[in-house]
Amino acid sequence: MTLFSTIGLFIALSLFMALILAVIAITPWLRAARIKSNPVDNQLLDINVAVFRERLAELKIDKDSGTIDDTHYQNQKLELERQLLDAQREVTPMVAPGIKSRLIVMVWVPVLAAMAYLLIGNRTPVFELWTSEDKVGQVADDLLTGKIDQPPAWAIEDGRQLISAMQTNVYRHADDPDRWMRLSELFLSLEATPSAIEALSRAYRLSPENEEIATSYAQISFFANEGRLDANIRRVLQDVLVDNPQHEGAQMLMAMGEARSSNFDEAQGWISRLRNSIAAKPGDHSRALASLDELSANINAQKAQAAQGVDVTVVVNSSLLPLVKGDDVLFVAIRDVNGGPPFAAKRLPISVIKQGEANISLSDLDAMMPERTLASAREQKTQLAVIARISHSGNAVAESGDLSGNPVVISSDQNQVNVEINQQVP
């Protein structure tokens, strides 16, 4: 299909619709012409006039015979005369225009419609999309349906055309999960991770039982979320493990996510299950088992570091809860009371606050710099303060409108503290 055929079809359909509108506009004129050439039969009007005159005569007889008085006679006569005048009134028909006026309307309606379409907005993107469809539309369809793995060289001379054609193709077949899956691969190759996750989420909603789609969706979301298991990722992985309890990829993601969330015992449990699953398979898996042993030792080291940290309970004052928004971010940090970079800090989604309270652990695992740790601060007997702040923008620097609390000073050996967020930054 050529570009001319696409534009030509569009113009033809537009002209056809405009002509229909023009015909609708001149239809009353055509009807008026027919009425003028075939006037309405006035026989019924003549009968009505005769009836009114007979009724006037009857009223005259009743008056002469004394049946009705003169006042009643005059009132009835006036009413009948008014009705008689209404019946005899003629309505001037609409003047039908000539053939020249009709042709002007039929020409100008399409012309004005075309001018409005072209002048009201910039249609260049539409024409560019048509060009992409005509040039690489079939290549995009072949890529999305798996008929080819790589596009021909001529099709990627302008990468934007191929991307536009693939996106358009996917939206035309929005109920095909495989097309969404392959579109996500395209976005990943372009390092457009948010778009890839959105495409994978649509593929997963269309086919939640597809193990490959579910695992890819969970894995990309997991790493985009900085290795954290949010409620959605956890649900997807749990569904995969329900259908396939021995799925190694899902087990590894669960182990890594639980460790990232400081759920070290749960992480070790997943590593144990994964180790048993690998060991039960035939063949030499010594390298994989050694990697799991290394991961397990690392998690034990993290657990030991976390045990030396500080458990922070953050409470949001009830009067400030209405000001908390769903996309806010919670910052919690331990720093020197005299200022400087924090020794440990966490940036968390606002969803960690449940019913106005959140429990957070800060340790050397949350150090901003390797040489500036909570353990080193305690060794140097540095006076420490714990701060908590809810940011609307997500920036690490406090801004007007953020919610915060007063810093809470802790001793060098203190491992538990409560912080209340009770004020708004002016």
Side-chain angles (χ1 to χ4, degrees), residues 31-103:
R31 185 181 297 114
R34 289 197 301 271
I35 293 174
K36 184 176 181 181
S37 60
N38 300 294
V40 179
D41 187 2
N42 289 329
Q43 182 178 5
L44 181 59
L45 179 61
D46 294 338
I47 293 175
N48 289 336
V49 171
V51 169
F52 284 133
R53 288 175 177 170
E54 290 177 0
R55 181 60 182 145
L56 283 173
E58 291 175 358
L59 283 173
K60 184 69 168 62
I61 294 173
D62 290 341
K63 175 179 174 295
D64 294 341
S65 62
T67 304
I68 59 176
D69 57 20
D70 186 65
T71 301
H72 184 73
Y73 169 75
Q74 292 297 332
N75 291 337
Q76 291 295 318
K77 179 181 177 183
L78 181 62
E79 180 63 24
L80 288 173
E81 288 175 345
R82 184 182 295 111
Q83 295 178 4
L84 179 59
L85 289 174
D86 291 339
Q88 290 178 322
R89 184 177 300 160
E90 294 182 1
V91 179
T92 303
M94 182 176 63
V95 178
I99 187 65
K100 183 183 294 184
S101 299
R102 297 173 187 171
L103 289 175

Coordinates of all heavy atoms in Angstrom, one line a residue, residues 31-103:
R31 N -37.2 20.1 -0.2 CA -38.6 19.8 0.2 C -39.5 21.0 -0.1 O -40.6 20.9 -0.5 CB -38.6 19.5 1.7 CG -40.0 19.0 2.2 CD -40.0 18.8 3.7 NE -39.1 17.6 4.0 CZ -38.0 17.7 4.7 NH1 -37.6 18.9 5.2 NH2 -37.3 16.7 5.0
A32 N -38.9 22.2 0.2 CA -39.7 23.4 -0.1 C -40.1 23.5 -1.6 O -41.1 24.0 -2.0 CB -38.9 24.7 0.3
A33 N -39.1 23.1 -2.5 CA -39.4 23.1 -3.9 C -40.5 22.2 -4.3 O -41.4 22.5 -5.1 CB -38.2 22.8 -4.7
R34 N -40.5 21.0 -3.7 CA -41.6 20.0 -3.9 C -43.0 20.6 -3.5 O -44.0 20.4 -4.1 CB -41.3 18.7 -3.3 CG -40.1 18.0 -3.9 CD -40.1 16.5 -3.5 NE -40.0 16.4 -2.1 CZ -38.8 16.3 -1.4 NH1 -37.7 16.3 -2.1 NH2 -38.8 16.1 -0.1
I35 N -43.0 21.2 -2.3 CA -44.2 21.8 -1.8 C -44.8 22.8 -2.7 O -46.0 22.9 -3.0 CB -44.0 22.3 -0.4 CG1 -43.7 21.1 0.6 CG2 -45.2 23.1 0.1 CD1 -43.3 21.6 2.0
K36 N -43.8 23.7 -3.3 CA -44.3 24.7 -4.1 C -44.9 24.2 -5.4 O -45.8 24.7 -6.0 CB -43.1 25.7 -4.4 CG -43.5 26.9 -5.3 CD -42.3 27.8 -5.4 CE -42.7 29.0 -6.2 NZ -41.5 29.9 -6.4
S37 N -44.3 23.1 -6.0 CA -44.7 22.6 -7.2 C -46.0 21.7 -7.0 O -46.8 21.5 -8.0 CB -43.7 21.7 -7.9 OG -43.3 20.7 -7.0
N38 N -46.2 21.2 -5.8 CA -47.4 20.4 -5.5 C -48.1 21.0 -4.3 O -47.9 20.5 -3.1 CB -47.0 19.0 -5.2 CG -46.4 18.4 -6.4 OD1 -47.0 18.2 -7.5 ND2 -45.1 18.0 -6.3
P39 N -48.9 22.1 -4.4 CA -49.5 22.8 -3.3 C -50.4 21.8 -2.5 O -51.0 20.9 -3.1 CB -50.3 23.9 -3.9 CG -50.4 23.6 -5.3 CD -49.3 22.8 -5.7
V40 N -50.6 22.1 -1.2 CA -51.4 21.2 -0.4 C -52.9 21.4 -0.7 O -53.4 22.6 -1.0 CB -51.2 21.5 1.1 CG1 -52.0 20.7 2.0 CG2 -49.7 21.3 1.4
D41 N -53.6 20.4 -0.8 CA -55.1 20.4 -1.0 C -55.8 21.1 0.1 O -55.6 20.8 1.3 CB -55.6 19.0 -1.2 CG -57.1 19.0 -1.6 OD1 -57.6 20.1 -1.8 OD2 -57.6 17.9 -1.7
N42 N -56.5 22.2 -0.2 CA -57.2 23.0 0.8 C -58.7 22.6 1.0 O -59.4 23.4 1.5 CB -57.2 24.5 0.4 CG -55.8 25.1 0.5 OD1 -55.0 24.7 1.4 ND2 -55.4 26.0 -0.4
Q43 N -59.0 21.4 0.6 CA -60.4 21.0 0.7 C -60.8 20.9 2.2 O -61.9 21.4 2.6 CB -60.6 19.6 0.1 CG -62.1 19.1 0.2 CD -62.2 17.8 -0.5 OE1 -61.3 17.2 -1.0 NE2 -63.5 17.3 -0.6
L44 N -60.0 20.4 3.1 CA -60.3 20.4 4.5 C -60.5 21.7 5.1 O -61.4 22.0 5.9 CB -59.2 19.6 5.2 CG -59.4 19.4 6.7 CD1 -60.7 18.7 7.0 CD2 -58.2 18.7 7.3
L45 N -59.7 22.7 4.6 CA -59.8 24.1 5.1 C -61.2 24.7 4.7 O -61.8 25.3 5.5 CB -58.7 24.9 4.5 CG -58.7 26.4 4.9 CD1 -58.5 26.6 6.4 CD2 -57.5 27.1 4.2
D46 N -61.6 24.4 3.5 CA -62.9 24.9 3.0 C -64.0 24.3 3.9 O -65.0 25.0 4.2 CB -63.1 24.5 1.6 CG -62.1 25.2 0.6 OD1 -61.6 26.3 1.1 OD2 -61.9 24.7 -0.5
I47 N -63.9 23.0 4.2 CA -65.0 22.4 5.1 C -65.0 23.1 6.4 O -66.1 23.3 7.0 CB -64.7 20.9 5.2 CG1 -64.8 20.2 3.8 CG2 -65.6 20.3 6.2 CD1 -64.4 18.7 3.9
N48 N -63.8 23.3 7.0 CA -63.8 24.0 8.3 C -64.4 25.4 8.3 O -65.2 25.8 9.2 CB -62.3 24.1 8.8 CG -61.8 22.7 9.2 OD1 -62.5 21.8 9.5 ND2 -60.5 22.6 9.1
V49 N -64.2 26.1 7.2 CA -64.8 27.4 7.1 C -66.3 27.3 7.0 O -67.0 28.1 7.6 CB -64.2 28.2 5.8 CG1 -65.0 29.5 5.6 CG2 -62.7 28.4 6.0
A50 N -66.8 26.4 6.2 CA -68.2 26.2 6.1 C -68.9 25.8 7.4 O -70.0 26.3 7.8 CB -68.5 25.1 5.1
V51 N -68.2 25.0 8.2 CA -68.7 24.6 9.5 C -68.8 25.8 10.5 O -69.8 26.0 11.2 CB -67.9 23.5 10.1 CG1 -68.2 23.3 11.6 CG2 -68.0 22.2 9.4
F52 N -67.7 26.7 10.4 CA -67.8 27.8 11.3 C -68.9 28.8 10.9 O -69.6 29.4 11.8 CB -66.4 28.6 11.2 CG -65.3 27.9 11.9 CD1 -64.1 27.7 11.3 CD2 -65.5 27.5 13.2 CE1 -63.1 27.1 12.0 CE2 -64.5 26.9 13.9 CZ -63.3 26.7 13.3
R53 N -69.2 28.9 9.6 CA -70.3 29.8 9.2 C -71.6 29.3 9.6 O -72.5 30.0 10.0 CB -70.2 30.0 7.6 CG -69.0 30.9 7.2 CD -68.9 31.0 5.7 NE -67.8 31.9 5.4 CZ -67.3 32.0 4.1 NH1 -67.8 31.3 3.2 NH2 -66.3 32.9 3.9
E54 N -71.8 27.9 9.5 CA -73.0 27.3 9.9 C -73.3 27.6 11.4 O -74.4 27.8 11.9 CB -73.0 25.8 9.6 CG -73.1 25.5 8.1 CD -73.0 24.1 7.8 OE1 -72.9 23.3 8.8 OE2 -73.1 23.7 6.7
R55 N -72.2 27.5 12.2 CA -72.3 27.7 13.6 C -72.7 29.1 14.0 O -73.5 29.3 14.9 CB -70.9 27.3 14.3 CG -70.9 27.4 15.8 CD -71.9 26.5 16.4 NE -71.9 26.7 17.9 CZ -73.0 26.6 18.6 NH1 -74.2 26.3 18.1 NH2 -72.9 26.7 19.9
L56 N -72.2 30.1 13.2 CA -72.6 31.5 13.4 C -74.0 31.6 13.1 O -74.7 32.4 13.8 CB -71.7 32.4 12.5 CG -70.3 32.7 12.9 CD1 -69.5 33.4 11.8 CD2 -70.2 33.4 14.2
A57 N -74.5 31.0 12.1 CA -75.9 31.1 11.7 C -76.8 30.5 12.9 O -77.9 31.0 13.2 CB -76.2 30.4 10.4
E58 N -76.3 29.4 13.4 CA -77.1 28.7 14.5 C -77.1 29.7 15.7 O -78.2 29.8 16.4 CB -76.5 27.4 14.9 CG -76.6 26.3 13.8 CD -75.9 25.1 14.2 OE1 -75.2 25.1 15.2 OE2 -75.9 24.1 13.4
L59 N -76.0 30.3 16.0 CA -76.0 31.3 17.1 C -77.0 32.4 16.9 O -77.7 32.9 17.8 CB -74.6 31.8 17.3 CG -73.6 30.9 18.0 CD1 -72.2 31.6 18.0 CD2 -74.0 30.6 19.4
K60 N -77.1 32.9 15.7 CA -78.1 34.0 15.3 C -79.5 33.5 15.6 O -80.3 34.3 16.1 CB -77.9 34.4 13.9 CG -78.7 35.6 13.5 CD -78.2 36.8 14.1 CE -78.9 38.1 13.5 NZ -80.3 38.1 13.7
I61 N -79.8 32.3 15.2 CA -81.2 31.8 15.4 C -81.5 31.7 16.9 O -82.5 32.0 17.4 CB -81.3 30.4 14.7 CG1 -81.2 30.6 13.2 CG2 -82.6 29.7 15.1 CD1 -81.2 29.3 12.4
D62 N -80.5 31.1 17.7 CA -80.7 31.0 19.1 C -80.9 32.4 19.8 O -81.7 32.5 20.7 CB -79.4 30.3 19.8 CG -79.3 28.9 19.4 OD1 -80.4 28.3 18.9 OD2 -78.2 28.3 19.5
K63 N -80.2 33.4 19.3 CA -80.4 34.7 19.9 C -81.7 35.3 19.6 O -82.4 35.8 20.4 CB -79.3 35.6 19.3 CG -79.4 37.1 19.8 CD -78.3 37.9 19.2 CE -78.5 39.4 19.6 NZ -79.7 40.0 18.9
D64 N -82.1 35.1 18.3 CA -83.5 35.6 17.9 C -84.6 34.9 18.6 O -85.6 35.5 18.9 CB -83.6 35.5 16.4 CG -82.7 36.3 15.6 OD1 -82.1 37.3 16.2 OD2 -82.4 36.0 14.4
S65 N -84.4 33.6 18.9 CA -85.5 32.9 19.6 C -85.4 33.1 21.1 O -86.3 32.6 21.8 CB -85.3 31.4 19.3 OG -84.1 30.9 19.7
G66 N -84.4 33.8 21.6 CA -84.3 34.1 23.0 C -83.6 33.0 23.8 O -83.7 33.0 25.1
T67 N -83.1 32.0 23.1 CA -82.4 30.9 23.9 C -81.2 31.4 24.6 O -80.9 30.9 25.7 CB -82.0 29.8 22.9 OG1 -83.2 29.3 22.2 CG2 -81.4 28.6 23.7
I68 N -80.4 32.3 24.0 CA -79.3 32.9 24.6 C -79.4 34.4 24.6 O -80.1 34.9 23.8 CB -78.0 32.5 23.9 CG1 -78.0 32.9 22.4 CG2 -77.7 31.0 24.0 CD1 -76.7 32.7 21.7
D69 N -78.8 35.0 25.6 CA -78.9 36.5 25.7 C -77.9 37.1 24.7 O -77.0 36.4 24.1 CB -78.7 37.0 27.1 CG -77.4 36.5 27.7 OD1 -76.4 36.2 26.9 OD2 -77.2 36.5 28.9
D70 N -77.9 38.4 24.6 CA -77.1 39.1 23.7 C -75.6 39.1 24.1 O -74.7 39.0 23.2 CB -77.5 40.6 23.6 CG -76.8 41.4 22.6 OD1 -77.0 41.0 21.4 OD2 -76.0 42.3 22.9
T71 N -75.3 39.1 25.4 CA -73.9 39.1 25.9 C -73.3 37.7 25.5 O -72.1 37.7 24.9 CB -73.8 39.3 27.4 OG1 -74.4 40.5 27.7 CG2 -72.4 39.2 27.8
H72 N -74.0 36.6 25.8 CA -73.5 35.3 25.4 C -73.3 35.2 23.9 O -72.3 34.6 23.4 CB -74.4 34.2 25.9 CG -73.9 32.8 25.7 ND1 -72.9 32.3 26.4 CD2 -74.3 31.9 24.8 CE1 -72.6 31.1 26.0 NE2 -73.5 30.8 25.1
Y73 N -74.2 35.7 23.2 CA -74.2 35.7 21.7 C -72.9 36.4 21.2 O -72.2 35.9 20.3 CB -75.4 36.3 21.1 CG -75.3 36.5 19.6 CD1 -75.4 35.4 18.7 CD2 -75.1 37.8 19.1 CE1 -75.3 35.6 17.3 CE2 -75.0 38.0 17.7 CZ -75.1 36.9 16.8 OH -75.0 37.1 15.5
Q74 N -72.7 37.6 21.7 CA -71.5 38.4 21.3 C -70.2 37.7 21.6 O -69.3 37.6 20.8 CB -71.5 39.7 21.9 CG -72.7 40.6 21.4 CD -72.6 40.9 19.9 OE1 -71.5 41.0 19.4 NE2 -73.8 41.2 19.3
N75 N -70.1 37.1 22.8 CA -68.9 36.3 23.1 C -68.6 35.1 22.2 O -67.5 34.9 21.8 CB -69.0 35.9 24.6 CG -68.9 37.1 25.6 OD1 -68.4 38.1 25.2 ND2 -69.5 36.9 26.8
Q76 N -69.7 34.3 22.0 CA -69.5 33.2 21.1 C -69.2 33.6 19.7 O -68.4 32.9 19.0 CB -70.8 32.3 21.2 CG -71.0 31.6 22.5 CD -70.0 30.6 22.8 OE1 -69.5 29.9 21.9 NE2 -69.5 30.6 24.1
K77 N -69.8 34.6 19.2 CA -69.6 35.1 17.9 C -68.1 35.6 17.7 O -67.5 35.3 16.7 CB -70.6 36.2 17.5 CG -70.3 36.8 16.1 CD -71.3 38.0 15.9 CE -71.0 38.6 14.5 NZ -71.9 39.8 14.3
L78 N -67.6 36.3 18.7 CA -66.2 36.8 18.7 C -65.3 35.6 18.6 O -64.3 35.6 17.9 CB -66.0 37.7 19.9 CG -64.6 38.3 20.0 CD1 -64.3 39.2 18.8 CD2 -64.4 39.1 21.3
E79 N -65.5 34.6 19.4 CA -64.6 33.4 19.5 C -64.6 32.7 18.2 O -63.6 32.3 17.6 CB -65.1 32.5 20.6 CG -64.2 31.2 20.8 CD -62.8 31.6 21.1 OE1 -62.5 32.6 21.7 OE2 -61.9 30.7 20.8
L80 N -65.9 32.5 17.6 CA -65.9 31.8 16.3 C -65.3 32.6 15.2 O -64.6 32.0 14.3 CB -67.4 31.5 15.9 CG -68.0 30.4 16.8 CD1 -69.5 30.3 16.5 CD2 -67.4 29.1 16.5
E81 N -65.4 33.9 15.2 CA -64.8 34.7 14.2 C -63.3 34.7 14.3 O -62.6 34.6 13.2 CB -65.3 36.2 14.3 CG -66.7 36.3 13.8 CD -67.2 37.8 14.1 OE1 -66.5 38.5 14.8 OE2 -68.3 38.1 13.5
R82 N -62.8 34.6 15.5 CA -61.3 34.5 15.7 C -60.8 33.2 15.1 O -59.8 33.1 14.5 CB -61.0 34.6 17.2 CG -59.5 34.6 17.5 CD -59.2 34.7 18.9 NE -59.6 36.0 19.5 CZ -60.6 36.1 20.4 NH1 -61.2 35.0 20.8 NH2 -60.9 37.3 20.8
Q83 N -61.5 32.1 15.4 CA -61.2 30.8 14.9 C -61.3 30.7 13.4 O -60.4 30.1 12.7 CB -62.0 29.7 15.5 CG -61.8 29.5 17.0 CD -62.8 28.5 17.6 OE1 -63.5 27.8 16.9 NE2 -62.7 28.3 18.9
L84 N -62.3 31.4 12.8 CA -62.4 31.5 11.4 C -61.3 32.2 10.7 O -60.7 31.8 9.7 CB -63.7 32.2 11.0 CG -64.0 32.3 9.5 CD1 -64.1 30.9 8.9 CD2 -65.4 33.0 9.3
L85 N -60.8 33.3 11.3 CA -59.7 34.0 10.8 C -58.4 33.2 10.8 O -57.6 33.2 9.9 CB -59.4 35.3 11.6 CG -60.5 36.4 11.4 CD1 -60.3 37.6 12.3 CD2 -60.5 36.9 9.9
D86 N -58.2 32.4 11.9 CA -57.0 31.5 12.0 C -57.1 30.4 11.0 O -56.0 30.1 10.4 CB -57.0 30.9 13.4 CG -56.7 31.9 14.5 OD1 -56.1 32.9 14.2 OD2 -57.0 31.6 15.7
A87 N -58.3 29.9 10.7 CA -58.4 28.9 9.7 C -58.1 29.4 8.3 O -57.6 28.7 7.4 CB -59.8 28.2 9.7
Q88 N -58.4 30.7 8.0 CA -58.3 31.2 6.7 C -56.8 31.8 6.5 O -56.5 32.2 5.4 CB -59.3 32.3 6.5 CG -60.7 31.8 6.3 CD -61.7 33.0 6.2 OE1 -61.5 34.0 6.8 NE2 -62.7 32.8 5.3
R89 N -56.0 31.9 7.6 CA -54.7 32.5 7.5 C -53.8 31.6 6.6 O -53.8 30.3 6.8 CB -54.1 32.6 8.9 CG -52.8 33.3 8.9 CD -52.3 33.5 10.3 NE -53.2 34.3 11.0 CZ -53.3 34.4 12.3 NH1 -52.5 33.6 13.1 NH2 -54.2 35.1 13.0
E90 N -53.1 32.1 5.7 CA -52.2 31.4 4.9 C -50.7 31.6 5.3 O -50.3 32.7 5.6 CB -52.3 31.9 3.4 CG -53.6 31.5 2.8 CD -53.7 32.0 1.3 OE1 -52.7 32.5 0.8 OE2 -54.8 31.8 0.7
V91 N -49.9 30.5 5.4 CA -48.5 30.6 5.8 C -47.7 30.7 4.5 O -47.8 29.9 3.6 CB -48.1 29.3 6.5 CG1 -46.6 29.4 6.9 CG2 -49.0 29.2 7.8
T92 N -46.8 31.7 4.5 CA -46.0 31.9 3.4 C -44.9 30.8 3.3 O -44.1 30.6 4.2 CB -45.3 33.3 3.4 OG1 -46.3 34.3 3.6 CG2 -44.4 33.5 2.2
P93 N -44.8 30.0 2.2 CA -43.9 28.9 2.1 C -42.5 29.5 2.0 O -42.2 30.6 1.5 CB -44.3 28.2 0.9 CG -45.0 29.2 0.0 CD -45.7 30.1 1.0
M94 N -41.5 28.6 2.4 CA -40.1 29.0 2.3 C -39.7 29.1 0.8 O -40.1 28.2 0.0 CB -39.2 28.0 3.0 CG -37.7 28.3 3.0 SD -36.7 27.1 3.9 CE -37.0 25.6 3.0
V95 N -39.0 30.1 0.5 CA -38.5 30.3 -0.9 C -37.4 29.3 -1.2 O -36.4 29.4 -0.5 CB -38.1 31.8 -1.1 CG1 -37.6 31.9 -2.6 CG2 -39.2 32.7 -0.8
A96 N -37.6 28.5 -2.2 CA -36.5 27.5 -2.5 C -35.4 28.2 -3.3 O -35.7 29.0 -4.2 CB -37.1 26.4 -3.3
P97 N -34.2 28.0 -2.9 CA -33.1 28.6 -3.7 C -32.9 28.0 -5.0 O -33.3 26.9 -5.3 CB -31.9 28.4 -2.8 CG -32.2 27.1 -2.1 CD -33.7 27.1 -1.9
G98 N -32.1 28.7 -5.9 CA -31.9 28.2 -7.2 C -30.7 27.1 -7.2 O -30.1 26.9 -6.1
I99 N -30.5 26.5 -8.3 CA -29.5 25.5 -8.4 C -28.1 26.1 -8.1 O -27.2 25.3 -7.6 CB -29.5 24.9 -9.9 CG1 -28.6 23.7 -9.9 CG2 -29.1 26.0 -10.9 CD1 -29.0 22.6 -9.1
K100 N -27.8 27.3 -8.4 CA -26.5 27.9 -8.1 C -26.3 27.9 -6.6 O -25.2 27.6 -6.1 CB -26.4 29.3 -8.7 CG -25.1 30.0 -8.5 CD -25.0 31.4 -9.0 CE -25.2 31.4 -10.5 NZ -25.1 32.8 -11.0
S101 N -27.3 28.3 -5.8 CA -27.1 28.4 -4.4 C -26.9 27.0 -3.8 O -26.0 26.8 -2.9 CB -28.3 29.0 -3.7 OG -28.5 30.3 -4.2
R102 N -27.5 26.0 -4.3 CA -27.3 24.6 -3.8 C -25.9 24.1 -4.1 O -25.3 23.5 -3.3 CB -28.4 23.7 -4.5 CG -29.8 24.0 -4.1 CD -30.8 23.2 -4.9 NE -32.2 23.7 -4.7 CZ -33.2 23.2 -5.3 NH1 -33.0 22.3 -6.3 NH2 -34.4 23.7 -5.1
L103 N -25.4 24.4 -5.3 CA -24.1 24.0 -5.7 C -23.0 24.7 -4.8 O -22.0 24.1 -4.4 CB -23.8 24.3 -7.2 CG -24.6 23.4 -8.2 CD1 -24.3 23.9 -9.6 CD2 -24.1 21.9 -8.0

